[in-house]
Amino acid sequence: MVVPFKGNMPDLLFNYVCQKQGLDPTTDLTLYYANSPQQAAQLLLSGEKSIAVLTEPLSTQILLKSKATESSLYRSIDMQVEWSAASGLGQRIPIAGTVALPAIQDNPEAIERFMQEYRLAVEWIKANPDQAGQLGAAIEQLGFEAPAIAESLKNTRWDFVQVKDCQEDLEAFFMALSKTKLLDRNSTWGYILGL
């Protein structure tokens, strides 16, 4: 099994879910840590590995590419569903956010306007995945094709939530992750979480 970014979010979530299912990923599974999600995807597409933990839109892009080669790749689990079952915290995984830097913090009107526009953008993307896919594909640095982005948006639960409305979710999320065997004082997340 290929997992990208050892000790980072995909690895931490996967390990947490495994541990809650009674598996110890370090002894019960044979893990290969890829340096990047793209490397994990290439190992999967080449047939060198048969299972990978991938995030969106990469997982959808790989599935679309595998159909063209008549490969038998398929999506086997939804980490949001598994997270919910393992944690009891619901399917929303609070792993992305936007931060106001000190230079803008004295301008609450600008922050409020940004939040309004961001909320509208999230709703527009959810309602218009095909057009959003075209826009995303135009950003060459992302490296994703429009159909993959559009289809992945249909598989992504994406909500705009202000931190004041999800503080309990964030605290529960980080407390759950702090219990994984991967975290210690020497890891980046272990340091952030004060282990």
Side-chain angles (χ1 to χ4, degrees), residues 70-85:
E70 297 181 20
S71 176
S72 60
L73 294 178
Y74 59 94
R75 188 183 316 268
S76 59
I77 65 169
D78 180 330
M79 284 301 289
Q80 290 175 311
V81 171
E82 297 302 320
W83 164 259
S84 178

Side-chain angles (χ1 to χ4, degrees), residues 89-128:
L89 298 173
Q91 292 185 11
R92 190 168 68 193
I93 302 174
I95 59 172
T98 304
V99 177
L101 297 175
I104 194 75
Q105 289 178 357
D106 290 334
N107 190 341
E109 296 84 19
I111 293 171
E112 182 61 33
R113 179 66 188 265
F114 173 85
M115 289 190 301
Q116 289 171 359
E117 295 298 325
Y118 193 88
R119 181 188 316 269
L120 290 172
V122 168
E123 294 306 318
W124 181 86
I125 286 169
K126 288 166 53 175
N128 302 283

Side-chain angles (χ1 to χ4, degrees), residues 23-159:
L23 294 170
D24 182 343
T26 61
T27 58
D28 297 332
L29 303 172
T30 302
L31 299 181
Y32 174 84
Y33 284 102
N35 294 324
S36 69
Q38 291 76 14
Q39 181 190 23
Q42 287 305 315
L43 290 168
L44 194 62
L45 280 174
S46 71
E48 290 182 55
K49 301 293 180 188
S50 59
I51 303 170
V53 174
L54 297 173
T55 57
E56 291 293 351
L58 183 59
S59 59
T60 297
Q61 183 156 306
I62 296 309
L63 289 173
L64 293 174
K65 284 185 178 189
S66 74
K67 285 182 184 178
T69 63
E70 297 181 20
S71 176
S72 60
L73 294 178
Y74 59 94
R75 188 183 316 268
S76 59
I77 65 169
D78 180 330
M79 284 301 289
Q80 290 175 311
V81 171
E82 297 302 320
W83 164 259
S84 178
S87 69
L89 298 173
Q91 292 185 11
R92 190 168 68 193
I93 302 174
I95 59 172
T98 304
V99 177
L101 297 175
I104 194 75
Q105 289 178 357
D106 290 334
N107 190 341
E109 296 84 19
I111 293 171
E112 182 61 33
R113 179 66 188 265
F114 173 85
M115 289 190 301
Q116 289 171 359
E117 295 298 325
Y118 193 88
R119 181 188 316 269
L120 290 172
V122 168
E123 294 306 318
W124 181 86
I125 286 169
K126 288 166 53 175
N128 302 283
D130 293 329
Q131 292 155 302
Q134 292 292 330
L135 289 172
I139 305 170
E140 291 180 23
Q141 296 88 340
L142 294 178
F144 297 112
E145 298 165 1
I149 295 172
E151 189 62 30
S152 77
L153 289 171
K154 298 171 189 173
N155 296 315
T156 304
R157 291 171 192 89
W158 191 13
D159 296 308

